[in-house]
Amino acid sequence: MLSNNLNRAMNDEINFQMFSENIYLAMQAYFSSIIKKLERIKDNSSGIFMLDSELSKRTFTPPINR
């Protein structure tokens, strides 16, 4: 019984670590794409307003647990 609980706890921890890593990687990719857009825009105020408009339309999509 104790070993089953320990195994379950270890599996939960591993799943949480994998989930956290996936979230981190997704956020890193997302912010990298924004930085690339800002580098292309430079000081173009129209481009900044367009990016702002694009970012305001984003929605949160929770990751799929496997």
Side-chain angles (χ1 to χ4, degrees):
M1 176 106 165
L2 180 60
S3 64
N4 287 340
N5 289 339
L6 287 173
N7 284 336
R8 204 170 311 130
M10 287 176 57
N11 285 337
D12 288 346
E13 178 64 22
I14 290 169
N15 287 338
F16 177 75
Q17 288 176 355
M18 289 172 53
F19 175 77
S20 297
E21 184 176 331
N22 288 341
I23 292 291
Y24 173 79
L25 293 173
M27 293 302 292
Q28 185 179 25
Y30 178 70
F31 287 117
S32 291
S33 72
I34 293 173
I35 290 169
K36 287 178 185 176
K37 289 176 183 177
L38 286 169
E39 289 173 344
R40 284 195 310 259
I41 291 171
K42 297 187 181 180
D43 291 333
N44 182 333
S45 59
S46 297
I48 292 172
F49 282 115
M50 289 174 62
L51 179 60
D52 181 59
S53 176
E54 176 186 328
L55 294 176
S56 71
K57 295 175 186 173
R58 67 183 189 261
T59 58
F60 175 72
T61 304
I64 299 171
N65 290 335
R66 295 180 186 177

